[in-house]
Amino acid sequence: MRLLHTSDWHLGRAFHRVNLLGAQAEFIGHLVTTVRERAVDAVVVSGDVYDRAVPPLAAVELFDDALHRLAGLGVPTVMISGNHDSARRLGVGARLIGRAGVHLRTDPAECATPVVLRDTAGDVAFYGLPYLEPALVKDEFAVDRAGHESVLAAAMERVRADLATRAPGTRSVVLAHAFVTGGEASDSERDITVGGVAAVPSAVFDGVDYTALGHLHGCQTITDRVRYSGSPLAYSFSEATHRKSMWLVDLDADGSVSAERVDCPVPRPLARLRGTLEDLLADPALDVHEDAWVEATLTDPVRPAEPMARLTARFPHTLGLVFDPDRPPEDPDVSYARRLAGRSDQEIAEDFVTHVRGTGPDPYERAVLRDAFDAVRADRTAREVTP
């Protein structure tokens, strides 16, 4: 059985104020063409179909068009909700849509109810694990403490239990939306840290033939059987080095897996440039970036006059401008943003406690801070997904 694995469409998302709806529509067209021309037997979409819980109408219309085109191919599609989606909204009409061959899996309670497809070698069971927000699903999975690993492990226990009841030789595919250990993140993904931990070990998915992951935006191979497709488009300059693609996966009769990357259309290349303004304007080696979307980091010790206007004269698609003067880290004039770069909310809060009190938080206080951040994030998620 040949699968096309994709995820993280983020329909409705812009790139630094640039509307990407046209590029997203081009990707949908590319997806449909790939399914038709590469003899794909099933499409899997591993979450974050939309960019937010209540997407703009134009994004909903594009999703509706994608559903119709996929259904028109007669090729089954299995799709889960991600942490950016409202699972309940995305799942509206799921049973009716399923009759057309597009199977939406958005209810955690149904994670062990597979979509079963058949080829000449027998059955393939597709299990859809929508994004499992630990604080919201811990009771469903009867875990003592809300955490990503505990709820995913409980969900996978149900998957393996169901798989054990099926005919010998039944192959299995799991769709999941999570941060798996070994994956490389970018600035584009929303933080899902719970209890100070965001990642889960890939061993959670042991026992299935292929795990189609979503959430991280870079295409990655965690193991031969556990992969991220990544997002089809870049959604931040941190993805400038990504090769945007989908996985074309062949699942053989014995459950062995082979995979090939299928490149996605690139609306415009990305470039991250760094240097003094005069160097960026004069360096002939930068000619190749004049048609790219550009993020420029200026290292001038004194902020130059009209930097954006001067940059766009050479790089007309400059979208980001950062000032990072070349100064030693101990310089009192180093920007607040630079001092905080790469630090988590927990670390920033602990530094604040140290600053105002003279000593850092003790283990109990660290736990209080961690629980507070978890509660705020869980509450935000709950409010976003409430119909």
Side-chain angles (χ1 to χ4, degrees):
M1 183 171 287
R2 173 164 285 183
L3 318 175
L4 187 64
H5 167 197
T6 178
S7 73
D8 295 273
W9 295 356
H10 288 279
L11 300 182
R13 187 164 182 165
F15 184 82
H16 289 262
R17 303 177 306 279
V18 175
N19 189 318
L20 290 180
L21 202 66
Q24 291 172 335
E26 185 179 359
F27 161 70
I28 296 298
H30 171 68
L31 171 71
V32 171
T33 298
T34 301
V35 171
R36 184 174 57 247
E37 293 184 351
R38 299 299 300 270
V40 170
D41 298 305
V43 177
V44 294
V45 186
S46 298
D48 281 354
V49 175
Y50 291 122
D51 188 56
R52 56 182 184 266
V54 184
L57 179 58
V60 177
E61 290 174 338
L62 179 55
F63 179 58
D64 180 65
D65 178 63
L67 292 181
H68 279 84
R69 295 174 73 178
L70 288 169
L73 293 172
V75 174
T77 298
V78 185
M79 185 178 297
I80 62 171
S81 50
N83 62 302
H84 279 250
D85 300 308
S86 166
R88 295 183 67 177
R89 288 188 177 92
L90 186 63
V92 169
R95 285 178 292 179
L96 184 61
I97 295 170
R99 295 180 184 178
V102 179
H103 305 277
L104 297 170
R105 290 293 184 265
T106 62
D107 184 353
E110 296 181 354
C111 65
T113 304
V115 177
V116 180
L117 305 179
R118 189 170 181 83
D119 63 8
T120 56
D123 289 345
V124 181
F126 290 78
Y127 297 92
L129 278 57
Y131 172 66
L132 302 177
E133 173 59 47
L136 302 183
V137 302
K138 67 182 182 69
D139 292 337
E140 166 64 33
F141 293 106
V143 297
D144 294 332
R145 183 173 178 81
H148 289 295
E149 183 174 354
S150 59
V151 296
L152 268 172
M156 285 301 301
E157 285 179 7
R158 294 186 184 183
V159 167
R160 284 186 283 267
D162 179 83
L163 188 58
T165 68
R166 301 198 171 269
T170 298
R171 290 157 291 162
S172 54
V173 175
V174 164
L175 289 73
H177 197 87
F179 190 163
V180 174
T181 303
E184 183 178 344
S186 68
D187 294 341
S188 306
E189 302 98 9
R190 181 181 293 173
D191 181 28
I192 59 171
T193 300
V194 174
V197 178
V200 300
S202 60
V204 166
F205 302 104
D206 284 354
V208 297
D209 294 309
Y210 184 71
T211 300
L213 293 174
H215 180 57
L216 300 184
H217 287 189
C219 182
Q220 302 171 59
T221 300
I222 305 301
T223 73
D224 286 345
R225 297 185 181 275
V226 180
R227 299 171 187 264
Y228 283 99
S229 66
S231 60
L233 297 171
Y235 291 113
S236 76
F237 278 103
S238 65
E239 301 175 51
T241 60
H242 288 186
R243 173 187 163 195
K244 295 302 182 181
S245 57
M246 304 176 284
W247 284 114
L248 192 67
V249 179
D250 286 324
L251 184 61
D252 291 340
D254 62 356
S256 60
V257 170
S258 58
E260 171 192 346
R261 291 179 71 173
V262 178
D263 291 330
C264 295
V266 177
R268 192 179 296 278
L270 307 185
R272 304 184 95 172
L273 309 182
R274 180 182 179 88
T276 66
L277 179 59
E278 293 304 326
D279 286 345
L280 296 185
L281 295 178
D283 188 351
L286 301 181
D287 289 350
V288 295
H289 302 305
E290 290 180 354
D291 195 43
W293 279 324
V294 168
E295 178 189 69
T297 298
L298 299 185
T299 60
D300 302 75
V302 177
R303 186 171 301 203
E306 299 184 331
M308 182 60 87
R310 295 167 67 187
L311 278 169
T312 54
R314 181 179 186 187
F315 307 104
H317 305 289
T318 301
L319 299 179
L321 184 57
V322 180
F323 295 97
D324 187 16
D326 279 337
R327 296 170 180 161
E330 63 274 11
D331 190 318
D333 291 330
V334 170
S335 73
Y336 182 67
R338 184 173 176 181
R339 293 198 301 272
L340 297 186
R343 301 184 67 74
S344 68
D345 291 342
Q346 176 88 15
E347 291 170 329
I348 293 169
E350 291 180 12
D351 286 349
F352 177 75
V353 172
T354 303
H355 174 72
V356 299
R357 194 172 65 185
T359 61
D362 60 30
Y364 171 76
E365 291 167 331
R366 287 193 181 93
V368 169
L369 287 170
R370 185 169 58 247
D371 289 346
F373 282 120
D374 290 349
V376 169
R377 193 182 53 77
D379 178 67
R380 180 188 66 188
T381 301
R383 285 187 282 107
E384 284 183 350
V385 302
T386 300

